[in-house]
Amino acid sequence: MNVSITINGTVYERDIEPRMLLVHFIREELGLTGTNIGCDTSQCGACTIHMDGRSLKSCTCLAVQADGREITTIEGLADGDNLHPMQEAFWDNHGLQCGYCTPGMIMASTAFLKDNPHPTEEEIRHALEGNFCRCTGYQNIVKSIKAASEKMGG
Amino acid sequence: MSMRPANFDYQRPTSLSEAIQLLANNDEAKALAGGHSLIPAMNQRLSTPEQLVDIGRLDELKGISTNNGTLSIGALSTHAQIAASSDVRTHCAALATATGLVGDPQVRNWGTLGGNLAHADPASDPPTVVLAAGGTLHLQGPNGTRSVSADNFFIDLFTTDLQPGELITRIEIPSLQGKKNAYVKLAHPASRYAIVGVCVVLEMNGNECVSARVAVGGATPKATRSPSAEERLTGSSLQVAAVDAAAEALVNDIAGDVMGDLFAPEDYRRAMAGVYLKRAVQAAMA
């Protein structure tokens, strides 16, 4: 089936099998490997991207469902060499250890801040229920998101 | 190599009637809405439909409104939309709570109420609230439209009254404005599925509870009402003894049906059903 999907501002047209998952389209068709596959079972959130501005686990969506929609992946967040404030906050606050969950954490938290620009620590933790860090580095992840919210929203 | 669904034919009809026709013509076809129950099952090859009929873009199934005190929720409304809806907060606060507790934010962004109710996962939250709130499901199929009360819709584990080719089009809930209502949940710490979820709807006249609806989910194969707990609460002033008696009655009503697993055995779920009824009453009256 022919699909046309906008990813990080570029329109990609491909003829794909309907069973192709969006995460495979992103990683294998387009080579955008910043989006990680962690669990394959819709739990861990490593594959989180934005579709039409809302966070989505891209292992839980068929690429054909994304036809005509706008996707942002971790590669699309920075503005050239200038990191997104959330990326910077993860850097500054040691918000990652092995880094595997980080793209998903950053995509989940940037989508969350659009709904709630001034979250409490508890709200941040609730917002991360769909993202696992197996290094259990949650303290600094929460700290990073708090720092980014202060920087972005004032 | 990561998981992928088995092959299937994909159709994206542009109208509800076309979708129903496609589903009616193929016993092995499944409707795809948000896909947040179906796609995980397909990834694990627990579900291998021959055809997917993608209803996710049908505007006829979208939107939340109120008409003459009745809340009307299009089947494609996402959990996030419902949780954030001021109409839902006003007329069925317990549903706003429950949809805000489904899965995680990513799931709530794309999972739909219609898909959730049709899937009828026993560990899910919304069925318990739709049942306690006295909701009605509007269905459309090859033989036309019909409506089914939530009392008659949920039949068993993953089993509903939906007939082949039928879709849920919208869910109606009589306004609970003025009635006390709440949903509380003991969530599995990893999956966030309900180990036990309880919803109460209490009509008060001064200090007296003049009518009560109580439903429990998570612990039972389907969202289940507790007539005995409702009886204990009705006519009481919700004093500690009455609520304790209702909790005991609830546990007795569901005793034979409670399901357990390694994480949360039957006895534990039974005990928690009583505890969470008390918490639901407290939350409703708070």
Side-chain angles (χ1 to χ4, degrees):
Chain A
M1 177 174 170
N2 290 312
V3 294
S4 168
I5 304 175
T6 303
I7 299 191
N8 303 329
T10 304
V11 181
Y12 295 93
E13 290 179 359
R14 294 285 190 281
D15 183 15
I16 56 167
E17 276 190 318
R19 66 171 176 156
M20 176 178 274
L21 296 173
L22 180 57
V23 70
H24 295 137
F25 184 83
I26 291 168
R27 288 179 55 87
E28 294 168 12
E29 281 290 321
L30 307 184
L32 294 170
T33 52
T35 302
N36 285 337
I37 298 174
C39 72
D40 275 325
T41 53
S42 313
Q43 297 178 76
C44 80
C47 66
T48 300
I49 52 100
H50 299 173
M51 183 156 81
D52 292 344
R54 306 207 56 100
S55 60
L56 164 72
K57 294 180 181 182
S58 58
C59 74
T60 314
C61 181
L62 301 168
V64 288
Q65 288 177 284
D67 187 19
R69 297 185 189 263
E70 299 217 1
I71 306 288
T72 305
T73 69
I74 188 71
E75 290 92 343
L77 273 195
D79 178 14
D81 287 339
N82 297 319
L83 292 179
H84 185 280
M86 187 67 75
Q87 292 171 308
E88 227 164 51
F90 269 67
W91 184 327
D92 291 343
N93 293 281
H94 195 58
L96 56 143
Q97 292 181 50
C98 85
Y100 201 85
C101 72
T102 311
M105 288 287 178
I106 288 178
M107 298 313 287
S109 54
T110 48
F112 164 63
L113 286 192
K114 278 192 263 176
D115 284 345
N116 186 350
H118 306 289
T120 63
E121 181 181 331
E122 195 187 337
E123 287 168 340
I124 293 171
R125 289 180 183 273
H126 188 57
L128 294 181
E129 278 180 349
N131 293 78
F132 298 169
C133 167
R134 290 303 71 166
C135 305
T136 68
Y138 293 107
Q139 295 291 16
N140 285 348
I141 292 170
V142 172
K143 198 170 143 195
S144 303
I145 297 167
K146 187 83 181 134
S149 73
E150 281 157 13
K151 202 162 166 185
M152 291 164 69
Chain B
M1 180 71 183
S2 58
M3 290 201 238
R4 288 147 213 264
N7 266 321
F8 54 84
D9 174 58
Y10 175 81
Q11 297 292 330
R12 191 192 296 150
T14 52
S15 71
L16 181 58
S17 54
E18 196 190 334
I20 288 165
Q21 203 56 53
L22 284 163
L23 289 163
N25 287 344
N26 187 346
D27 287 348
E28 299 299 315
K30 269 195 182 295
L32 173 69
H36 273 58
S37 298
L38 181 56
I39 293 172
M42 289 175 64
N43 282 343
Q44 297 195 58
R45 308 279 172 115
L46 296 171
S47 178
T48 54
E50 201 173 88
Q51 184 180 62
L52 282 192
V53 178
D54 187 349
I55 60 170
R57 299 180 192 216
L58 297 178
D59 287 337
E60 297 151 275
L61 304 178
K62 292 181 182 169
I64 300 173
S65 60
T66 48
N67 308 307
N68 297 326
T70 298
L71 186 59
S72 176
I73 303 174
L76 284 180
S77 305
T78 64
H79 301 300
Q81 286 165 349
I82 295 167
S85 158
S86 58
D87 276 343
V88 177
R89 287 182 181 280
T90 304
H91 296 287
C92 189
L95 186 63
T97 305
T99 48
L101 293 172
V102 170
D104 54 52
Q106 292 95 317
V107 171
R108 295 194 287 272
N109 279 340
W110 301 97
T112 67
L113 181 62
N116 175 283
L117 299 176
H119 187 54
D121 189 323
S124 182
D125 307 293
T128 307
V129 177
V130 173
L131 178 62
T136 300
L137 292 92
H138 291 267
L139 315 178
Q140 192 167 331
N143 301 321
T145 60
R146 66 184 180 110
S147 43
V148 182
S149 74
D151 281 296
N152 296 324
F153 183 76
F154 301 107
I155 292 176
D156 204 348
L157 205 67
F158 300 109
T159 308
T160 70
D161 187 44
L162 271 176
Q163 300 301 307
E166 268 186 339
L167 291 169
I168 301 172
T169 55
R170 66 197 164 89
I171 297 92
E172 277 190 354
I173 295 176
S175 175
L176 303 184
Q177 202 177 11
K179 293 184 185 176
K180 307 287 186 184
N181 64 99
Y183 176 74
V184 293
K185 162 190 192 177
L186 172 61
H188 186 289
S191 71
R192 313 313 296 173
Y193 276 116
I195 292 168
V196 169
V198 176
C199 182
V200 296
V201 177
L202 308 169
E203 189 180 349
M204 302 300 292
N205 182 3
N207 288 330
E208 191 195 351
C209 175
V210 293
S211 81
R213 282 178 71 105
V214 174
V216 60
T220 45
K222 58 168 183 164
T224 303
R225 276 179 71 188
S226 171
S228 311
E230 292 173 359
E231 255 174 56
R232 297 300 162 94
L233 296 174
T234 304
S236 82
S237 57
L238 305 180
Q239 71 276 26
V240 173
V243 178
D244 283 353
E248 204 180 311
L250 169 76
V251 173
N252 285 335
D253 272 354
I254 63 170
D257 296 327
V258 172
M259 306 180 301
D261 58 20
L262 277 176
F263 180 79
E266 288 172 35
D267 283 351
Y268 176 62
R269 288 183 198 243
R270 258 193 291 273
M272 289 302 104
V275 170
Y276 275 75
L277 169 63
K278 294 182 208 175
R279 292 187 185 181
V281 171
Q282 273 171 8
M285 299 306 293

